[in-house]
Amino acid sequence: MKRLQALATVVVVMLALVGCSSNDAEKEPGDKPISSAAPTAASGTPDKSMGEPVAERTADVDGFKITLKVYPVKRSGELTNVNFSLTRTDESEDRFPIGQNFSDGDGDSSDRGGWSVDGVKLVDPTSKQLYLAASDGAGNCLCSRGLAGVFIGPAETMTFSSTYAAPAKSVSSIDLIFPFFGTVTGVALS
């Protein structure tokens, strides 16, 4: 009987450990990612290595005045990296939730979790080819993700990134489609 109880205890402990393993699809809003293929949002001043902004727009996003800054888009082998920042410029004391506001809302296309910036799309204006955020093959976008419970406070700036397949080497500029901000055209691709 004691052996049976000991075995039952081991089974219960193992089931508890398995139940505690991390899976982004099972996370509740507000959970922080344990690991990701790409960085989550970083608050504060954009990294100087991103260069100077090449485009800027301001939009009303759910009652908040948000300024988008797009940084130089860089090609690295077969991939292209896009960096952008969002800055709160309104007077409200409320916090703007990033959450799913910049997600494409399609768990089958790029990021299964939906708490990411996979709604930002890259377009080759010459071939009219649309590029979605790249994925690690396991349902995680190669973009800022794990954004449930992430907010931008008054006068605060947060930076984000997203990676795409690189357009043909002959392509020297691209267009970027942002939720709420529309299409930013003619962004140089280096």
Side-chain angles (χ1 to χ4, degrees), residues 51-106:
E52 292 297 317
V54 295
E56 183 174 321
R57 286 202 173 159
T58 299
D60 183 281
V61 182
D62 295 335
F64 295 93
K65 188 174 180 183
I66 307 289
T67 298
L68 163 76
K69 289 184 181 179
V70 179
Y71 293 85
V73 177
K74 298 178 182 176
R75 187 189 315 261
S76 178
E78 299 296 315
L79 300 173
T80 298
N81 191 57
V82 173
N83 290 300
F84 64 96
S85 67
L86 300 173
T87 302
R88 282 273 310 282
T89 56
D90 58 83
E91 303 284 324
S92 171
E93 290 299 317
D94 294 332
R95 298 181 311 151
F96 171 68
I98 296 298
Q100 294 181 324
N101 276 317
F102 293 88
S103 170
D104 68 2
D106 182 359

Side-chain angles (χ1 to χ4, degrees), residues 25 100 103-116 118 135 138-141:
Q100 294 181 324
S103 170
D104 68 2
D106 182 359
D108 293 330
S109 66
S110 180
D111 192 69
R112 69 170 187 249
W115 304 97
S116 69
D118 68 344
S135 173
N140 304 304
C141 73

